[in-house]
Coordinates of all heavy atoms in Angstrom, one line a residue:
M1 N -52.0 22.1 58.0 CA -52.0 22.8 56.8 C -53.4 22.7 56.2 O -53.7 21.7 55.5 CB -51.0 22.3 55.8 CG -49.9 23.2 55.6 SD -48.8 22.5 54.4 CE -47.6 21.7 55.4
S2 N -54.3 23.6 56.4 CA -55.6 23.5 55.9 C -55.7 24.2 54.5 O -56.6 23.9 53.7 CB -56.6 24.2 56.8 OG -56.3 25.5 57.0
E3 N -54.8 25.1 54.2 CA -54.9 25.8 52.9 C -54.1 25.1 51.9 O -53.2 24.3 52.1 CB -54.3 27.2 53.1 CG -55.1 28.1 54.0 CD -54.5 29.5 54.1 OE1 -53.9 29.9 53.2 OE2 -54.8 30.1 55.1
K4 N -54.6 25.3 50.6 CA -53.9 24.6 49.5 C -52.7 25.4 49.1 O -52.6 26.6 49.4 CB -54.9 24.5 48.3 CG -56.1 23.6 48.6 CD -57.0 23.5 47.4 CE -58.2 22.6 47.7 NZ -59.1 22.6 46.6
A5 N -51.9 24.8 48.3 CA -50.7 25.5 47.8 C -51.0 25.9 46.4 O -51.6 25.2 45.6 CB -49.5 24.5 47.7
Y6 N -50.6 27.2 46.1 CA -50.9 27.8 44.8 C -49.6 28.5 44.3 O -48.8 28.9 45.0 CB -52.0 28.9 44.9 CG -53.3 28.3 45.2 CD1 -53.8 28.4 46.5 CD2 -54.1 27.8 44.2 CE1 -55.1 27.9 46.8 CE2 -55.4 27.4 44.5 CZ -55.9 27.4 45.8 OH -57.1 26.9 46.1
C7 N -49.6 28.6 42.9 CA -48.6 29.4 42.3 C -49.5 30.5 41.5 O -50.4 30.1 40.7 CB -47.7 28.7 41.3 SG -46.5 27.7 42.2
M8 N -49.2 31.7 41.7 CA -50.0 32.8 41.1 C -49.1 33.7 40.3 O -48.0 34.1 40.8 CB -50.7 33.5 42.2 CG -51.6 34.6 41.7 SD -52.7 35.3 43.0 CE -51.6 35.9 44.2
L9 N -49.5 34.1 39.1 CA -48.8 35.1 38.3 C -49.6 36.4 38.2 O -50.8 36.4 38.0 CB -48.7 34.5 36.9 CG -47.9 35.3 35.9 CD1 -46.4 35.4 36.3 CD2 -48.0 34.7 34.5
M10 N -48.9 37.5 38.6 CA -49.6 38.8 38.6 C -48.8 39.8 37.8 O -47.6 39.7 37.6 CB -49.6 39.3 40.1 CG -50.4 38.4 41.0 SD -50.3 39.0 42.7 CE -48.6 38.5 43.2
R11 N -49.6 40.8 37.3 CA -48.9 41.9 36.6 C -49.0 43.1 37.5 O -50.1 43.5 38.0 CB -49.6 42.2 35.3 CG -49.0 43.3 34.5 CD -49.7 43.6 33.2 NE -49.6 42.4 32.4 CZ -50.6 42.1 31.5 NH1 -51.6 42.9 31.3 NH2 -50.5 41.0 30.8
V12 N -47.8 43.8 37.7 CA -47.7 44.9 38.6 C -46.8 46.0 37.9 O -45.8 45.6 37.4 CB -47.1 44.6 39.9 CG1 -47.0 45.8 40.8 CG2 -47.9 43.5 40.6
P13 N -47.2 47.2 37.8 CA -46.3 48.2 37.2 C -45.1 48.5 38.1 O -45.2 48.9 39.2 CB -47.2 49.5 37.1 CG -48.3 49.3 38.0 CD -48.5 47.8 38.2
I14 N -43.9 48.1 37.5 CA -42.7 48.3 38.2 C -41.8 49.3 37.4 O -41.3 48.9 36.4 CB -41.9 47.0 38.4 CG1 -42.7 46.0 39.2 CG2 -40.6 47.3 39.1 CD1 -42.1 44.6 39.4
D15 N -41.9 50.6 37.8 CA -41.3 51.6 37.0 C -39.8 51.9 37.3 O -39.0 52.3 36.4 CB -42.0 52.9 37.1 CG -43.5 52.8 36.8 OD1 -43.8 52.0 35.9 OD2 -44.4 53.4 37.5
C16 N -39.4 51.7 38.5 CA -38.1 52.1 38.9 C -37.5 51.2 40.0 O -38.2 50.2 40.4 CB -38.1 53.5 39.5 SG -39.2 53.7 40.9
N17 N -36.3 51.4 40.4 CA -35.7 50.6 41.5 C -36.5 50.7 42.8 O -36.6 49.7 43.5 CB -34.2 51.0 41.7 CG -33.4 50.5 40.6 OD1 -33.7 49.6 39.8 ND2 -32.2 51.2 40.4
G18 N -37.0 51.8 43.1 CA -37.7 52.0 44.3 C -39.0 51.2 44.3 O -39.4 50.6 45.4
C19 N -39.7 51.1 43.2 CA -40.9 50.3 43.1 C -40.5 48.8 43.2 O -41.3 48.1 43.9 CB -41.6 50.5 41.7 SG -42.1 52.2 41.4
Y20 N -39.4 48.4 42.6 CA -39.0 47.0 42.7 C -38.7 46.7 44.2 O -39.1 45.6 44.7 CB -37.7 46.8 41.9 CG -37.0 45.5 42.1 CD1 -37.6 44.3 41.5 CD2 -35.9 45.4 42.9 CE1 -36.9 43.1 41.7 CE2 -35.3 44.2 43.1 CZ -35.8 43.0 42.5 OH -35.2 41.8 42.7
K21 N -38.0 47.5 44.9 CA -37.7 47.3 46.3 C -38.9 47.2 47.2 O -39.0 46.4 48.1 CB -36.7 48.3 46.8 CG -35.3 48.2 46.3 CD -34.4 49.3 46.8 CE -33.0 49.2 46.2 NZ -32.1 50.3 46.6
K22 N -39.9 48.1 46.9 CA -41.1 48.1 47.6 C -41.9 46.8 47.5 O -42.4 46.2 48.4 CB -42.0 49.3 47.1 CG -43.2 49.6 48.0 CD -44.0 50.7 47.3 CE -43.9 52.0 48.0 NZ -44.8 53.0 47.5
V23 N -42.0 46.3 46.2 CA -42.6 45.1 45.9 C -41.9 43.9 46.6 O -42.5 43.1 47.3 CB -42.7 44.8 44.4 CG1 -43.2 43.4 44.1 CG2 -43.7 45.8 43.8
R24 N -40.6 43.9 46.5 CA -39.8 42.8 47.1 C -39.9 42.8 48.6 O -40.1 41.7 49.2 CB -38.3 43.0 46.7 CG -37.5 41.8 47.2 CD -36.1 42.0 46.6 NE -35.2 40.9 47.0 CZ -34.5 40.9 48.2 NH1 -34.6 42.0 48.9 NH2 -33.8 39.9 48.6
R25 N -39.9 43.9 49.2 CA -40.0 44.0 50.7 C -41.4 43.5 51.1 O -41.5 42.8 52.1 CB -39.8 45.5 51.1 CG -39.3 45.6 52.5 CD -38.9 47.1 52.9 NE -38.2 47.7 51.8 CZ -38.6 48.9 51.3 NH1 -39.7 49.5 51.7 NH2 -37.8 49.5 50.4
A26 N -42.4 43.9 50.4 CA -43.8 43.5 50.7 C -44.0 42.0 50.6 O -44.6 41.3 51.5 CB -44.8 44.2 49.9
L27 N -43.3 41.4 49.6 CA -43.4 39.9 49.4 C -42.7 39.2 50.5 O -43.1 38.1 51.0 CB -42.9 39.5 48.0 CG -43.7 39.9 46.8 CD1 -43.0 39.6 45.5 CD2 -45.1 39.2 46.8
L28 N -41.5 39.7 50.9 CA -40.7 39.0 51.9 C -41.4 39.1 53.3 O -41.2 38.2 54.1 CB -39.4 39.7 52.0 CG -38.4 39.4 50.8 CD1 -37.2 40.2 51.0 CD2 -38.1 37.9 50.7
K29 N -42.3 40.0 53.5 CA -43.0 40.2 54.8 C -44.2 39.3 54.9 O -44.8 39.1 56.0 CB -43.4 41.6 55.1 CG -42.2 42.5 55.4 CD -42.6 43.9 55.8 CE -41.4 44.7 56.1 NZ -41.8 46.1 56.5
M30 N -44.6 38.7 53.8 CA -45.8 37.8 53.8 C -45.3 36.4 54.1 O -44.6 35.7 53.3 CB -46.5 37.8 52.5 CG -47.1 39.1 52.1 SD -48.0 39.1 50.6 CE -48.9 40.6 50.6
P31 N -45.7 35.8 55.3 CA -45.3 34.5 55.7 C -45.8 33.3 54.9 O -45.2 32.3 54.8 CB -45.7 34.4 57.1 CG -46.9 35.3 57.2 CD -46.6 36.4 56.3
A32 N -46.9 33.5 54.2 CA -47.6 32.4 53.4 C -46.9 32.2 52.1 O -47.0 31.1 51.5 CB -49.0 32.8 53.2
I33 N -46.1 33.2 51.7 CA -45.4 33.0 50.4 C -44.0 32.3 50.6 O -43.2 32.8 51.4 CB -45.2 34.4 49.7 CG1 -46.5 35.0 49.4 CG2 -44.3 34.3 48.5 CD1 -46.5 36.4 48.8
H34 N -43.8 31.2 49.9 CA -42.6 30.4 50.1 C -41.5 30.8 49.1 O -40.3 30.8 49.4 CB -42.9 28.9 50.0 CG -43.8 28.4 51.0 ND1 -43.6 28.5 52.4 CD2 -45.1 27.9 50.9 CE1 -44.6 28.0 53.0 NE2 -45.6 27.7 52.1
S35 N -41.9 31.2 47.9 CA -41.0 31.7 46.9 C -41.6 32.7 46.0 O -42.8 32.7 45.8 CB -40.5 30.5 46.1 OG -41.5 29.9 45.3
H36 N -40.8 33.5 45.4 CA -41.3 34.5 44.5 C -40.2 34.8 43.4 O -39.0 34.7 43.6 CB -41.7 35.8 45.2 CG -40.5 36.6 45.8 ND1 -40.0 36.3 47.0 CD2 -39.8 37.6 45.3 CE1 -39.0 37.1 47.2 NE2 -38.8 37.9 46.2
V37 N -40.7 35.2 42.2 CA -39.8 35.7 41.1 C -40.4 37.0 40.6 O -41.6 37.0 40.3 CB -39.8 34.6 40.0 CG1 -38.9 35.1 38.9 CG2 -39.3 33.3 40.5
I38 N -39.6 38.0 40.5 CA -40.0 39.3 40.0 C -39.3 39.5 38.6 O -38.1 39.6 38.6 CB -39.7 40.4 41.0 CG1 -40.3 40.1 42.3 CG2 -40.1 41.8 40.4 CD1 -39.9 41.1 43.4
D39 N -40.1 39.7 37.6 CA -39.6 40.0 36.3 C -39.8 41.5 36.1 O -41.0 42.0 35.8 CB -40.4 39.2 35.2 CG -39.8 39.5 33.8 OD1 -38.8 40.2 33.7 OD2 -40.4 38.9 32.8
R40 N -38.8 42.3 36.1 CA -38.9 43.8 36.1 C -39.3 44.3 34.7 O -40.1 45.2 34.6 CB -37.5 44.4 36.4 CG -37.1 44.2 37.9 CD -35.7 44.7 38.0 NE -35.7 45.8 39.0 CZ -34.6 46.3 39.4 NH1 -33.4 45.9 38.9 NH2 -34.6 47.3 40.2
K41 N -38.7 43.7 33.7 CA -39.0 44.2 32.3 C -40.5 44.1 31.9 O -41.0 45.0 31.3 CB -38.1 43.5 31.3 CG -36.7 43.9 31.4 CD -35.8 43.3 30.3 CE -34.4 43.8 30.5 NZ -33.5 43.2 29.4
Q42 N -41.1 42.9 32.2 CA -42.4 42.7 31.9 C -43.4 43.1 33.0 O -44.6 43.0 32.8 CB -42.7 41.2 31.5 CG -41.9 40.9 30.2 CD -42.4 39.5 29.7 OE1 -43.2 38.8 30.3 NE2 -41.8 39.2 28.5
G43 N -42.9 43.4 34.2 CA -43.7 43.8 35.3 C -44.6 42.7 35.8 O -45.8 42.9 36.1
R44 N -44.0 41.5 35.9 CA -44.7 40.3 36.4 C -44.1 39.7 37.6 O -42.9 39.8 37.8 CB -44.8 39.2 35.3 CG -45.6 39.7 34.1 CD -45.7 38.6 33.0 NE -46.4 39.2 31.9 CZ -47.1 38.4 31.1 NH1 -47.1 37.1 31.2 NH2 -47.8 39.0 30.1
I45 N -45.0 39.2 38.5 CA -44.5 38.6 39.7 C -45.1 37.2 39.8 O -46.4 37.1 39.6 CB -45.0 39.4 40.9 CG1 -44.4 40.8 40.9 CG2 -44.5 38.7 42.2 CD1 -45.0 41.7 41.9
K46 N -44.3 36.2 40.1 CA -44.8 34.8 40.3 C -44.6 34.5 41.8 O -43.4 34.6 42.2 CB -44.2 33.8 39.4 CG -44.8 32.4 39.6 CD -44.2 31.5 38.5 CE -44.9 30.1 38.7 NZ -44.4 29.2 37.7
V47 N -45.6 34.1 42.5 CA -45.5 33.8 43.9 C -46.0 32.4 44.1 O -47.0 32.0 43.4 CB -46.2 34.7 44.8 CG1 -45.5 36.1 44.8 CG2 -47.6 34.9 44.5
C48 N -45.4 31.6 45.0 CA -45.8 30.2 45.3 C -45.9 30.1 46.8 O -45.0 30.6 47.5 CB -44.9 29.2 44.7 SG -44.9 29.2 42.9
G49 N -46.9 29.4 47.3 CA -47.0 29.1 48.7 C -48.3 28.6 49.1 O -49.2 28.4 48.2
T50 N -48.6 28.5 50.4 CA -49.9 28.1 50.9 C -50.7 29.3 51.3 O -50.5 29.8 52.4 CB -49.7 27.1 52.1 OG1 -48.9 27.7 53.0 CG2 -49.1 25.8 51.6
F51 N -51.5 29.8 50.4 CA -52.2 31.0 50.7 C -53.5 31.0 49.9 O -53.7 30.1 49.0 CB -51.4 32.2 50.3 CG -50.9 32.2 48.9 CD1 -51.7 32.6 47.8 CD2 -49.6 31.9 48.6 CE1 -51.2 32.6 46.5 CE2 -49.1 31.9 47.4 CZ -49.9 32.2 46.3
K52 N -54.4 31.9 50.1 CA -55.6 32.2 49.3 C -55.2 33.3 48.3 O -54.9 34.4 48.8 CB -56.8 32.6 50.2 CG -57.2 31.4 51.1 CD -58.3 31.9 52.0 CE -58.7 30.8 53.0 NZ -59.7 31.2 54.0
P53 N -55.3 33.0 47.0 CA -54.8 34.0 46.0 C -55.4 35.4 46.2 O -54.7 36.4 46.1 CB -55.2 33.3 44.7 CG -55.1 31.9 45.0 CD -55.6 31.7 46.4
P54 N -56.7 35.5 46.3 CA -57.3 36.9 46.4 C -56.7 37.7 47.7 O -56.5 38.9 47.6 CB -58.8 36.7 46.6 CG -59.1 35.3 46.1 CD -57.8 34.5 46.3
E55 N -56.5 37.0 48.8 CA -56.0 37.6 50.0 C -54.6 38.2 49.8 O -54.2 39.2 50.2 CB -56.1 36.7 51.2 CG -57.5 36.4 51.6 CD -57.5 35.5 52.8 OE1 -56.4 35.1 53.3 OE2 -58.6 35.1 53.2
V56 N -53.8 37.4 49.1 CA -52.4 37.8 48.8 C -52.4 39.0 47.9 O -51.7 40.0 48.1 CB -51.5 36.7 48.2 CG1 -50.2 37.2 47.7 CG2 -51.3 35.6 49.3
A57 N -53.2 39.0 46.8 CA -53.3 40.1 45.9 C -53.8 41.4 46.5 O -53.2 42.4 46.3 CB -54.2 39.7 44.7
I58 N -54.8 41.3 47.4 CA -55.3 42.4 48.1 C -54.3 43.0 49.1 O -54.1 44.2 49.2 CB -56.7 42.1 48.8 CG1 -57.7 41.9 47.7 CG2 -57.1 43.2 49.7 CD1 -59.0 41.3 48.2
G59 N -53.6 42.1 49.8 CA -52.6 42.5 50.8 C -51.5 43.2 50.1 O -50.9 44.2 50.6
L60 N -51.0 42.6 49.0 CA -49.9 43.2 48.2 C -50.3 44.6 47.7 O -49.5 45.6 47.8 CB -49.5 42.3 47.1 CG -48.2 42.7 46.3 CD1 -47.0 42.8 47.2 CD2 -48.0 41.8 45.2
R61 N -51.5 44.7 47.2 CA -52.0 46.0 46.7 C -52.0 47.1 47.8 O -51.6 48.2 47.6 CB -53.4 45.9 46.1 CG -53.8 47.2 45.4 CD -55.3 47.1 45.0 NE -56.2 47.1 46.1 CZ -56.5 48.2 46.9 NH1 -55.9 49.3 46.6 NH2 -57.3 48.1 47.8
K62 N -52.5 46.7 49.0 CA -52.5 47.6 50.1 C -51.1 48.0 50.5 O -50.9 49.2 50.9 CB -53.3 47.0 51.3 CG -54.7 46.9 51.0 CD -55.4 46.3 52.2 CE -56.9 46.3 52.0 NZ -57.6 45.7 53.1
R63 N -50.2 47.1 50.5 CA -48.8 47.5 51.0 C -48.0 48.3 50.0 O -47.3 49.2 50.4 CB -48.0 46.2 51.2 CG -48.5 45.5 52.5 CD -47.7 44.2 52.8 NE -48.3 43.6 53.9 CZ -47.6 42.6 54.6 NH1 -46.4 42.3 54.2 NH2 -48.2 42.0 55.6
I64 N -48.2 48.1 48.7 CA -47.4 48.8 47.7 C -48.2 49.9 47.0 O -47.6 50.7 46.3 CB -46.8 47.9 46.6 CG1 -47.9 47.3 45.7 CG2 -45.9 46.8 47.2 CD1 -47.4 46.5 44.6
N65 N -49.5 50.0 47.3 CA -50.3 51.1 46.7 C -50.2 51.2 45.2 O -50.1 52.3 44.7 CB -50.0 52.4 47.4 CG -51.1 53.4 47.2 OD1 -52.2 53.0 47.0 ND2 -50.7 54.7 47.3
R66 N -50.3 50.0 44.6 CA -50.3 50.0 43.1 C -51.4 49.0 42.6 O -51.7 48.1 43.3 CB -48.9 49.5 42.6 CG -47.9 50.5 42.9 CD -46.8 50.3 41.9 NE -45.9 51.5 41.9 CZ -45.7 52.3 40.9 NH1 -46.2 52.0 39.7 NH2 -44.9 53.3 41.0
R67 N -51.8 49.2 41.4 CA -52.8 48.3 40.8 C -52.2 46.9 40.5 O -51.0 46.8 40.0 CB -53.3 48.9 39.5 CG -54.4 48.1 38.8 CD -54.8 48.9 37.6 NE -53.6 49.3 36.8 CZ -53.3 48.6 35.7 NH1 -53.9 47.5 35.3 NH2 -52.2 49.0 35.0
I68 N -52.9 45.8 40.8 CA -52.4 44.5 40.6 C -53.4 43.7 39.7 O -54.6 43.8 40.0 CB -52.2 43.7 41.9 CG1 -51.0 44.4 42.6 CG2 -51.9 42.3 41.7 CD1 -50.7 43.8 44.0
E69 N -52.9 43.0 38.7 CA -53.8 42.2 37.9 C -53.4 40.8 38.0 O -52.2 40.4 37.8 CB -53.7 42.7 36.4 CG -54.5 42.0 35.5 CD -54.3 42.5 34.1 OE1 -53.7 43.5 33.9 OE2 -54.8 41.8 33.1
I70 N -54.3 39.9 38.4 CA -54.0 38.5 38.5 C -54.1 37.9 37.1 O -55.2 37.9 36.5 CB -54.9 37.7 39.4 CG1 -54.8 38.3 40.9 CG2 -54.7 36.2 39.4 CD1 -55.7 37.7 41.9
L71 N -53.0 37.3 36.6 CA -53.0 36.7 35.2 C -53.4 35.2 35.2 O -54.1 34.7 34.4 CB -51.7 36.9 34.6 CG -51.3 38.4 34.4 CD1 -49.9 38.4 33.8 CD2 -52.2 39.1 33.5
E72 N -52.8 34.5 36.2 CA -53.0 33.0 36.2 C -52.8 32.5 37.7 O -52.0 33.0 38.4 CB -51.9 32.4 35.4 CG -51.9 30.9 35.2 CD -50.8 30.4 34.3 OE1 -50.1 31.2 33.7 OE2 -50.6 29.2 34.3
I73 N -53.7 31.5 38.0 CA -53.6 30.8 39.3 C -53.5 29.3 39.0 O -54.4 28.8 38.3 CB -54.8 31.2 40.2 CG1 -54.9 32.7 40.4 CG2 -54.7 30.4 41.5 CD1 -56.2 33.1 41.1
Q74 N -52.5 28.7 39.6 CA -52.4 27.2 39.5 C -52.3 26.6 40.8 O -51.6 27.1 41.7 CB -51.2 26.9 38.6 CG -51.2 27.3 37.2 CD -49.9 27.0 36.5 OE1 -48.9 26.7 37.2 NE2 -49.9 27.0 35.2
E75 N -52.8 25.4 41.0 CA -52.6 24.6 42.2 C -51.2 24.0 42.1 O -50.9 23.5 41.0 CB -53.7 23.6 42.4 CG -55.0 24.2 42.9 CD -55.9 23.1 43.4 OE1 -55.5 22.2 44.0 OE2 -57.1 23.3 43.2
A76 N -50.5 24.0 43.2 CA -49.2 23.4 43.2 C -49.1 22.2 44.1 O -50.0 22.0 45.0 CB -48.2 24.5 43.6
D77 N -48.1 21.4 43.9 CA -47.8 20.3 44.8 C -47.1 20.7 46.0 O -46.0 21.3 46.0 CB -47.0 19.3 44.0 CG -46.8 17.9 44.8 OD1 -47.6 17.7 45.7 OD2 -45.9 17.2 44.4
V78 N -47.7 20.4 47.2 CA -47.2 20.9 48.5 C -45.9 20.2 48.8 O -44.9 20.8 49.3 CB -48.2 20.7 49.6 CG1 -47.6 21.1 50.9 CG2 -49.5 21.4 49.3
T79 N -45.7 18.9 48.5 CA -44.5 18.2 48.9 C -43.3 18.7 48.0 O -42.2 18.8 48.5 CB -44.7 16.7 48.6 OG1 -45.1 16.4 47.3 CG2 -45.7 16.1 49.6
A80 N -43.5 19.0 46.8 CA -42.5 19.5 45.9 C -42.0 20.9 46.4 O -40.9 21.3 46.3 CB -42.9 19.6 44.5
M81 N -43.0 21.7 46.9 CA -42.6 23.0 47.4 C -41.7 23.0 48.6 O -40.8 23.8 48.7 CB -43.9 23.8 47.7 CG -43.8 25.3 47.8 SD -45.4 26.1 48.0 CE -46.3 25.6 46.6
Y82 N -42.0 22.1 49.5 CA -41.1 22.0 50.7 C -39.9 21.2 50.5 O -39.0 21.3 51.3 CB -41.9 21.4 51.9 CG -43.0 22.3 52.4 CD1 -44.3 22.1 52.2 CD2 -42.6 23.4 53.1 CE1 -45.3 22.9 52.7 CE2 -43.6 24.3 53.6 CZ -44.9 24.1 53.4 OH -45.9 24.9 53.9
A83 N -39.7 20.5 49.4 CA -38.5 19.7 49.2 C -37.4 20.5 48.7 O -36.2 20.2 48.9 CB -38.8 18.6 48.1
A84 N -37.7 21.7 48.2 CA -36.6 22.6 47.6 C -35.8 23.3 48.6 O -35.6 23.3 49.7 CB -37.2 23.6 46.7

């Protein structure tokens, strides 16, 4: 494991159920993401895992074809992430 573990909060416009499903499907296909939470009303996504934050944001933007804004990036504890 050479990469650090991060938790990242992003803002993504989620207008309808189709947009929600598209975002969820794209997140599930990314192997570096261990957990995610999607807040539909505020249009926010929190992802945690061992990844490089800019690469995940760019990859997600390419898959869902929507604008993504990174709000917050935090380093996470790797042992706590795998214990759950």
